[in-house]
Every structure is written in structure tokens, then in C-alpha cells.
Amino acid sequence: AQTVTQSQPEMSVQEAETVTLSCTYDTSESDYYLFWYKQPPSRQMILVIRQEAYKQQNATENRFSVNFQKAAKSFSLKISDSQLGDAAMYFCAYRENYGGATNKLIFGTGTLLAVQP
Amino acid sequence: DAGITQSPRHKVTETGTPVTLRCHQTENHRYMYWYRQDPGHGLRLIHYSYGVKDTDKGEVSDGYSVSRSKTEDFLLTLESATSSQTSVYFCAISDPRGGYTFGSGTRLTVV
């Protein structure tokens, strides 16, 4: 069965600095999606960034970028120029790319990020 | 999020009572999901649906049932609530880019 591991329960970063959140996953498949979701105190789940496994180029979205290492099954999230509004729980998630409802999202346990002013 | 709403947002109920949570979407998506979120576990799939009257179990389905009589509505029922079902419940729909769009969640407390 596929698993997603986030080994950092909590992280802290100074405002304007850079922080990297770690995620590893286990799968025997070659075609899949990886995601980072942000959950602020409002509880809303917000998609931060998405990576398709067949794409070698790392995804970027403004200050957010990933380091996708397919062979190592690693998918880290880098937040540059951290802002107070980045403080949240971050979840890494995996989904196979077969299409259909059975391709459920599998989540890691989350990393709680604090941003210090 | 736009297109998917959950109700209620908060609920306190007593042990042994039935509880129904509602998820409503306006996106006409075929696939809908119910997850629960607990500290140290992330989000875990309870049940999912791939069409009207078509549902299946996820990894933590014991004590829960679902129904989908219309495309837009997906109901989650706790048949006899227990304290272990105190959690935050999220409904989700698949989006065209492969991820999910989530509702705003329901915080359920069983006392």
C-alpha cells in the first residue's frame, strides 16, 4: 500500500527567511500526482502546489517550489521569503494517475509551520 | 471553497445518537469523498462515491454509512456516535487537475 511520511511534526522559520518541509512516499507505481496542501487556523484545505510524476521539472508557484526526486521518492516543499500568513499545517499527499474515484488522496500526518516575526 | 459546502460547521452530540453530515456540490462532479482529520493521522478516507447510488468504503469506514441519491449531495451518517468519532470531517470533490477541492469541514464532538 502507498504511504506518505512527513517526519517533521513542527517547524519554525523567521519572517523573510526560507524553510523546507520534507515528505517521502512509498509506491511501486510510476504514474502519479503529488500535492502540498496548506491548512491555516480557519481549517480550510488549500492546494499549494501540484507535481505530476512524469514531469522532470520541479513545480513552482510564486514563493513555493518543490524538489521532486522520483528515484528517492522524495517531495519537499520550499517556501521562500516566508510571511506571517504562511503559518499553517502543511500536508503532503499522493494520488495514482489511473483516473476515477478509487484513486484516493493519501495524506501524510502534517507539518505545523510557525513563522516568527 | 466555492462549489462545495458542508453542514453543519459544528455539532455536539451524545454518545449513541445517530448523526448525519451533509455535503453539497454545485460542480456536477461525479466523484465525492468523506475524510476525517485527527491529530497525528492526517486525513483518512471514510467513504467515497463515484456516482448516484454508487459508493464504496475507505480505510476507516467502520461505524459510518453514506448515501448519494442526487449528484450534488453526499451524506455521511454515524449510525451510533461514539467518542472515538470526535473529529473534523471533510468532504471533497475531484478537480480537473487531479487534486481535490475540499469543503470547509465539520467539527463533531461526541460527549
Side-chain angles (χ1 to χ4, degrees):
Chain A
Q2 291 82 9
T3 59
V4 178
T5 302
Q6 294 179 250
S7 57
Q8 306 154 317
E10 297 182 9
M11 293 280 286
S12 182
V13 64
Q14 291 292 126
E15 198 174 3
E17 296 295 308
T18 295
V19 64
T20 298
L21 308 184
S22 300
C23 174
T24 59
Y25 58 95
D26 186 25
T27 183
S28 58
E29 304 299 331
S30 61
D31 194 10
Y32 49 86
Y33 296 107
L34 294 164
F35 306 87
W36 280 98
Y37 281 88
K38 171 184 177 182
Q39 186 181 44
S42 67
R43 204 164 71 202
Q44 186 66 44
M45 293 289 287
I46 302 166
L47 178 64
V48 174
I49 203 163
R50 167 186 182 269
Q51 175 81 42
E52 293 161 322
Y54 70 88
K55 291 186 176 179
Q56 294 185 342
Q57 185 174 5
N58 290 324
T60 62
E61 291 285 345
N62 300 314
R63 297 182 295 105
F64 298 86
S65 61
V66 298
N67 183 5
F68 174 47
Q69 301 289 329
K70 191 172 184 179
K73 299 179 182 176
S74 171
F75 183 61
S76 60
L77 175 70
K78 186 172 79 171
I79 306 174
S80 304
D81 185 26
S82 296
Q83 301 175 358
L84 295 177
D86 295 334
M89 180 72 84
Y90 287 83
F91 291 101
C92 179
Y94 163 98
R95 177 179 176 177
E96 290 174 8
N97 188 24
Y98 295 150
T102 57
N103 297 317
K104 59 186 181 291
L105 272 181
I106 300 169
F107 288 87
T109 52
T111 297
L112 183 62
L113 178 66
V115 181
Q116 307 299 328
Chain B
D1 203 279
I4 181 169
T5 55
Q6 290 183 233
S7 59
R9 186 157 173 80
H10 303 276
K11 186 172 181 65
V12 180
T13 192
E14 293 186 349
T15 299
T17 60
V19 177
T20 296
L21 309 183
R22 180 175 182 253
C23 179
H24 179 77
Q25 60 139 335
T26 58
E27 306 296 319
N28 202 34
H29 281 295
R30 180 179 173 189
Y31 308 119
M32 299 183 75
Y33 310 82
W34 277 107
Y35 281 80
R36 62 177 287 173
Q37 180 181 5
D38 303 289
H41 291 277
L43 280 78
R44 294 177 292 175
L45 183 65
I46 305 171
H47 281 281
Y48 61 94
S49 171
Y50 44 97
V52 174
K53 297 185 180 180
D54 291 324
T55 65
D56 207 345
K57 298 178 179 179
E59 63 178 308
V60 291
S61 61
D62 286 349
Y64 302 94
S65 62
V66 291
S67 65
R68 193 163 177 206
S69 59
K70 298 184 290 184
T71 299
E72 57 266 35
D73 291 326
F74 191 33
L75 305 181
L76 175 71
T77 297
L78 287 65
E79 295 141 6
S80 177
T82 67
S83 58
S84 65
Q85 293 176 312
T86 292
S87 187
V88 177
Y89 292 86
F90 284 97
C91 178
I93 55 176
S94 296
D95 70 42
R97 300 188 68 208
Y100 286 5
T101 299
F102 288 86
S104 56
T106 296
R107 180 175 294 279
L108 177 68
T109 303
V110 183
V111 297

